[in-house]
Amino acid sequence: MKIVLLGAPGSGKGTQGEKLVAHYGIPKISTGDALRAAVKEGTELGKKAKAAMDAGQLVANEIVIGIVEERLGQPDARKGFILDGFPRNTAQAEVLDGMLTRLGSPGIDRAVHLHVSDEEIVKRLLDRAIKEGRDDDKEDVIRKRIEVYNAETRPLLDYYAAQGKVVTLEGIGSVDEIFGSIVKVLG
Ligand code: ADP
């Protein structure tokens, strides 16, 4: 099962992704987590990514593509994976399709879109700022991330709709309710 999770920042992709890992026994690949780890470790890659992340902008395509390519090549990703935070623009989606073709796969099975309103997103992320203290959960950066999502990532809904792969679910409700609706569509 090869799944892409789509949705604005704070829509619950990370949380639902973790539950899908446990349910389907396939790894989750989160470019955001990988980038935060690189920043924390102070690697070259982390140093290159940090300014864009702190500003709520996208990190350069070649950086995130390198991360995903490396991870998808590992044996545990062969039978399936959950992508959280990648692809985030059309160029990344095209590269992903190319990578999967090279790996002999017909592409992703489903793009699961968690729909949550902008006001609810801002509320959740401000709340997360207090609890987790993530560097990019500040109101101006949150607004920038939503803007970048709408401009660059939202078009992926059309990209995957053209492949007949998108399913949109309401990302409001309890974590378990939302998870139940995802599993129902994935089977
Ligand atoms: P959120 O979904 O809450 O915005 P993520 O953890 O997915 O958070 O990403 C945090 C930041 O990492 C993004 O704002 C961006 O700067 C960077 N990032 C993550 N994934 C990508 C990607 N696929 N392409 C470019 N930048 C990315």
Side-chain angles (χ1 to χ4, degrees):
M1 175 114 50
K2 300 184 175 76
I3 304 297
V4 165
L5 295 175
L6 290 175
S11 59
K13 301 186 300 292
T15 307
Q16 296 299 332
E18 283 309 321
K19 290 181 73 76
L20 290 166
V21 166
H23 189 83
Y24 291 109
I26 50 179
K28 175 168 82 109
I29 302 167
S30 160
T31 43
D33 286 350
L35 290 168
R36 276 185 291 279
V39 169
K40 206 167 156 196
E41 287 163 24
T43 65
E44 276 312 305
L45 192 151
K47 284 179 200 155
K48 283 188 193 149
K50 190 175 184 327
M53 293 174 77
D54 286 349
Q57 308 270 12
L58 294 188
V59 169
N61 282 344
E62 65 261 25
I63 294 181
V64 289
I65 287 166
I67 293 173
V68 172
E69 192 153 37
E70 205 267 325
R71 188 65 189 85
L72 282 186
Q74 291 171 25
D76 66 331
R78 276 296 149 104
K79 61 177 177 156
F81 51 77
I82 294 144
L83 280 170
D84 164 12
F86 183 95
R88 241 179 168 90
N89 58 31
T90 309
Q92 293 178 14
E94 286 167 355
V95 169
L96 174 65
D97 278 345
M99 277 183 220
L100 293 174
T101 304
R102 280 198 301 282
L103 290 167
S105 152
I108 66 157
D109 296 299
R110 278 266 179 280
V112 177
H113 170 219
L114 295 175
H115 174 262
V116 179
S117 71
D118 282 2
E119 302 108 271
E120 173 68 16
I121 289 295
V122 175
K123 214 173 89 192
R124 286 186 188 180
L125 293 179
L126 288 174
D127 198 46
R128 186 166 84 185
I130 296 164
K131 292 190 186 125
E132 295 176 20
R134 240 175 73 167
D135 285 349
D136 59 351
D137 284 343
K138 300 185 181 76
E139 186 153 6
D140 54 335
V141 182
I142 289 169
R143 296 212 182 270
K144 183 72 201 171
R145 281 155 61 211
I146 294 173
E147 192 186 307
V148 169
Y149 173 78
N150 285 323
E152 304 205 34
T153 310
R154 197 179 276 282
L156 292 182
L157 296 175
D158 292 332
Y159 180 90
Y160 286 118
Q163 299 184 3
K165 290 176 176 172
V166 178
V167 41
T168 292
L169 299 170
E170 213 41 60
I172 303 280
S174 75
V175 169
D176 287 340
E177 272 163 12
I178 298 166
F179 182 65
S181 65
I182 296 175
V183 169
K184 205 164 140 195
V185 297
L186 293 180

